[in-house]
Amino acid sequence: MKRHLISAADLTRDDAVLILDTAEEMARVADRPIKKLPTLRGRTVVNLFFEDSTRTRISFEAAAKRLSADVINFSAKGSSVSKGESLKDTALTLEAMGADAVVIRHGASGAPYRLATSGWIDGAVVNAGDGTHEHPTQALLDAFTMRRRLVGADAGLGKDLDGRRITIVGDILHSRVARSNVHLLNTLGAHVTLVAPPTQVPVGVEQWPGDVSYGLDEVLPQSDAVMMLRVQRERMNAAYFPTEREYSRRYGLDGERMAKMPEHAVVMHPGPMVRGMEITAEVADSDRCTVVEQVANGVSIRMAVLYLLLGGYEPTAHPSPTTTLDRSAARLPAGTPTAARTEETK
């Protein structure tokens, strides 16, 4: 079985730093006249999306194409899934078509793990978001963005987020982004504080690494980065706060609150943003907001993940099943990606 990326909790510190460092190399491709590498030529990547997506799906598609892979975009709407086809039968169809990697987004928590461990497909599985469980590549691109802003790309590769204080604000209960970020940021040495209404804090959160606060103003002066989350009404079946106005008053980030943050601190958001709810237009459009950078960095991170899973090494024997990235992937073959900066692909 090939390796998979299912959960940020599966990544060791070395794994995470390897992906971030490789993404720094991949980011240089965007500065080239021809934004393409030959690394995954002949490989097929399937984007298997059972939920709506803009940034994640397009980002994975762009990443695979920049690595010269063939890309198949699958949407549940308009497919046989709408007729009742099971995940198993869909997977078997993709296997018959020779998919080397399946990037899956699914409304059910655990669906990517099921796909990776079922034996239905031989290709690598990448979790692009499953229910309220995890979204590991989002956490990786967030960490990549923080590292560039707070440590600096010019500081050299291998830098991490030791000692940085990260605040995640909003609908923690329904956020797979929050869960992945908590795991990954803790692995990278950062301290995470979760801020949310009591009704939007998950049961068992005391087992998560980090702190919980119900007041935003108290933690802003000590925050190196503040990540705002959207209230996910589509996953709610009850009222979790009195009104939108009350939520925004207590947990929204406006210019006055942003002024309480340290000068070097940044504002982040995984998108889509609901302006006027969790974040004001003044903050969203400020130089301190990294939303557009996160989108661009997402392509680099996903290029790095696909490269390491599919093209970053040549195994000398049958690999044992694992959910982490192989250490041998740290050796970048000639032409990919470091040397490939001088090799144009027509």
Side-chain angles (χ1 to χ4, degrees):
M1 181 187 295
K2 292 184 178 180
R3 294 139 185 84
H4 313 289
L5 179 57
I6 305 301
S7 167
D10 293 330
L11 298 173
T12 66
R13 186 177 180 123
D14 287 345
D15 289 331
V17 171
L18 171 63
I19 296 172
L20 297 179
D21 288 352
T22 304
E24 286 286 1
E25 296 286 346
M26 295 299 181
R28 301 179 188 182
V29 176
D31 298 327
R32 296 171 46 179
I34 299 178
K35 300 174 176 61
K36 205 137 180 153
L37 297 174
T39 313
L40 299 185
R41 184 180 292 155
R43 301 291 190 115
T44 299
V45 176
V46 177
N47 288 325
L48 182 60
F49 278 60
F50 291 85
E51 287 187 325
D52 294 338
S53 172
T54 299
R55 280 158 293 276
T56 302
R57 187 188 63 78
I58 294 176
S59 179
F60 268 110
E61 181 179 359
K65 287 183 175 179
R66 287 187 182 182
L67 293 171
S68 301
D70 297 317
V71 180
I72 299 173
N73 290 316
F74 175 100
S75 175
K77 295 178 182 178
S79 72
S80 293
V81 171
S82 62
K83 302 176 183 178
E85 185 173 70
S86 67
L87 177 62
K88 176 180 180 178
D89 290 329
T90 300
L92 292 174
T93 299
L94 298 178
E95 172 64 15
M97 293 180 180
D100 295 294
V102 175
V103 178
I104 178 172
R105 167 168 287 194
H106 203 285
S109 299
Y113 177 80
R114 176 64 172 150
L115 191 63
T117 59
S118 62
W120 298 334
I121 62 172
D122 292 329
V125 176
V126 180
N127 182 2
D130 60 328
T132 59
H133 177 227
E134 280 213 43
H135 194 351
T137 59
Q138 179 69 46
L140 285 162
L141 74 87
D142 290 339
F144 185 74
T145 303
M146 292 179 208
R147 193 174 75 160
R148 283 192 145 195
R149 277 291 193 112
L150 302 177
V151 180
D154 295 335
L157 302 184
K159 299 296 182 181
D160 49 42
L161 299 172
D162 267 325
R164 298 293 181 173
R165 303 186 71 86
I166 314 301
T167 300
I168 303 177
V169 186
D171 187 5
I172 308 296
L173 178 64
H174 301 101
S175 178
R176 54 198 176 201
V177 172
R179 285 169 171 78
S180 286
N181 266 288
V182 167
H183 290 307
L184 183 66
L185 291 171
N186 178 70
T187 298
L188 291 171
H191 180 85
V192 179
T193 300
L194 302 174
V195 180
T199 54
Q200 291 184 296
V201 174
V203 175
V205 72
E206 62 276 0
Q207 304 298 323
W208 296 16
D211 298 327
V212 176
S213 173
Y214 301 111
L216 177 57
D217 294 302
E218 293 80 8
V219 300
L220 288 177
Q222 293 81 42
S223 301
D224 295 300
V226 177
M227 182 180 300
M228 306 305 297
L229 301 174
R230 178 179 64 89
V231 174
Q232 300 189 38
R233 294 190 178 278
E234 69 274 16
R235 302 188 192 277
M236 295 181 179
N237 55 9
Y240 287 83
F241 47 83
T243 64
E244 290 186 6
R245 183 176 180 181
E246 176 67 10
Y247 179 91
S248 183
R249 185 181 70 82
R250 295 197 61 186
Y251 298 101
L253 187 63
D254 56 17
E256 184 178 345
R257 281 197 165 118
M258 185 170 64
K260 297 179 181 179
M261 297 165 53
E263 290 186 5
H264 69 274
V266 295
V267 177
M268 308 183 71
H269 198 301
M273 294 186 291
V274 181
R275 294 177 181 236
M277 178 76 169
E278 73 272 6
I279 191 170
T280 64
E282 177 187 2
V283 176
D285 296 331
S286 71
D287 293 337
R288 304 178 74 174
C289 186
T290 65
V291 172
V292 176
E293 292 174 46
Q294 287 170 262
V295 174
N297 292 339
V299 177
S300 300
I301 280 290
R302 285 153 183 153
M303 286 177 70
V305 168
L306 292 174
Y307 164 73
L308 292 170
L309 290 178
L310 295 179
Y313 62 91
E314 292 295 335
T316 56
H318 296 291
S320 59
T322 179
T323 55
T324 58
L325 297 166
D326 195 289
R327 295 276 60 73
S328 63
R331 298 191 298 271
L332 303 182
T336 315
T338 305
R341 292 197 297 269
T342 61
E343 180 183 350
E344 298 293 341
T345 303
K346 305 302 181 185

